[in-house]
Amino acid sequence: MEKKVTNAFAALRPPGHHAMPDRAKGFCFFGNAAIAARYAQQHHKLKRVMIVDWDVHHGDGTQAVFLEDPSVYFFSVHQYPFYPGPSGSPDIKGKGAGEGFNLNVPLKPGSGDAAVMKVFETELSDAFRKFKPELLIISAGFDAHEADPLGSLGWSSEAYAKLTEVLRDLCREQGHERIVSLLEGGYSERGITEGVRCHIEALEAASEARKE
């Protein structure tokens, strides 16, 4: 926001997207993405923040924080049915003033790279362009990787670079590249190291292009 860097990746532990407003849950103690969004709103006076969660598990804690809030758009693509359960249903679209600002896109086990790329190029892109966020926060889990022992979506390492590129290009359409990526799940050494590397390299490419 102060234009000192183009984007940022935070290698956080523990993860945060299952943490509820009133309790810890699913390895998560604090809702890192939710806290970051609120901080940006309070300290930088942003009107619209978008959180994109690509962890293999639905970010039920983040959803709970913003379910009735139209100033933060929560988008989650995740394996379903899976932990944490019905919170990841596509029928949950927000509540009250937040109706229409929550979008869950479930994917079937084994659906692979093609399925998530289609989601990003259609539903996510449409939602992003309509909402026009001033800041993008990524709940970047790497447990959808093909090597992960818990998830079954089967994404390749390169998929994380491609997803990052889609988000980078969408931000550029809005006249900025303000992306803050926060590490969520990941339970395979190969999956998390290769996935994070591809993700960061795509973020670095965005930074270098900006300098040029």
Side-chain angles (χ1 to χ4, degrees):
M1 295 306 302
E2 297 175 353
K3 299 183 180 180
K4 294 180 180 178
V5 296
T6 303
N7 52 54
F9 174 78
L12 300 175
R13 277 293 177 262
H17 71 156
H18 295 308
M20 291 292 170
D22 60 347
R23 67 187 189 279
K25 182 181 179 183
F27 307 155
C28 304
F29 292 96
F30 298 101
N32 303 318
I35 292 169
R38 283 290 186 243
Y39 181 91
Q41 289 180 319
Q42 293 174 8
H43 290 266
H44 298 288
K45 310 305 178 185
L46 298 186
K47 296 180 180 179
R48 297 179 307 281
V49 177
M50 188 173 205
I51 299 173
V52 172
D53 189 325
W54 71 41
D55 191 277
V56 77
H57 305 102
H58 178 249
D60 53 332
T62 309
Q63 175 177 274
V65 173
F66 301 114
L67 197 62
E68 299 184 49
D69 188 343
S71 70
V72 178
Y73 196 114
F74 179 63
F75 181 98
S76 178
V77 58
H78 48 271
Q79 183 175 325
Y80 191 82
F82 202 39
Y83 180 87
S87 66
S89 168
D91 296 331
I92 301 175
K93 302 181 183 298
K95 185 178 179 182
E99 180 73 29
F101 295 92
N102 192 92
L103 182 56
N104 292 321
V105 182
L107 296 178
K108 295 180 180 180
S111 54
D113 294 1
V116 69
M117 285 304 301
K118 182 178 180 181
V119 169
F120 268 54
E121 291 168 352
T122 55
E123 291 164 279
L124 173 56
S125 293
D126 291 344
F128 194 103
R129 290 177 176 127
K130 290 177 182 177
F131 187 64
K132 296 179 171 57
E134 299 165 290
L135 171 69
L136 172 65
I137 296 173
I138 304 174
S139 274
F142 294 87
D143 38 9
H145 192 278
E146 60 191 0
D148 197 274
L150 299 186
S152 303
L153 289 181
W155 298 355
S156 69
S157 300
E158 292 72 23
Y160 292 102
K162 293 177 181 177
L163 298 179
T164 306
E165 290 166 0
V166 171
L167 294 175
R168 177 197 66 197
D169 292 345
L170 286 168
C171 284
R172 284 178 176 172
E173 288 182 18
Q174 302 305 317
H176 67 81
E177 293 179 23
R178 291 190 290 268
I179 300 173
V180 176
S181 178
L182 309 178
L183 182 62
E184 296 285 0
Y187 309 97
S188 157
E189 182 177 350
R190 181 171 75 85
I192 199 166
T193 53
E194 290 183 6
V196 169
R197 175 181 55 79
C198 289
H199 176 47
I200 290 177
E201 286 177 352
L203 289 175
E204 287 181 336
S207 299
E208 293 302 317
R210 185 80 170 186
K211 291 177 184 178
E212 294 173 0

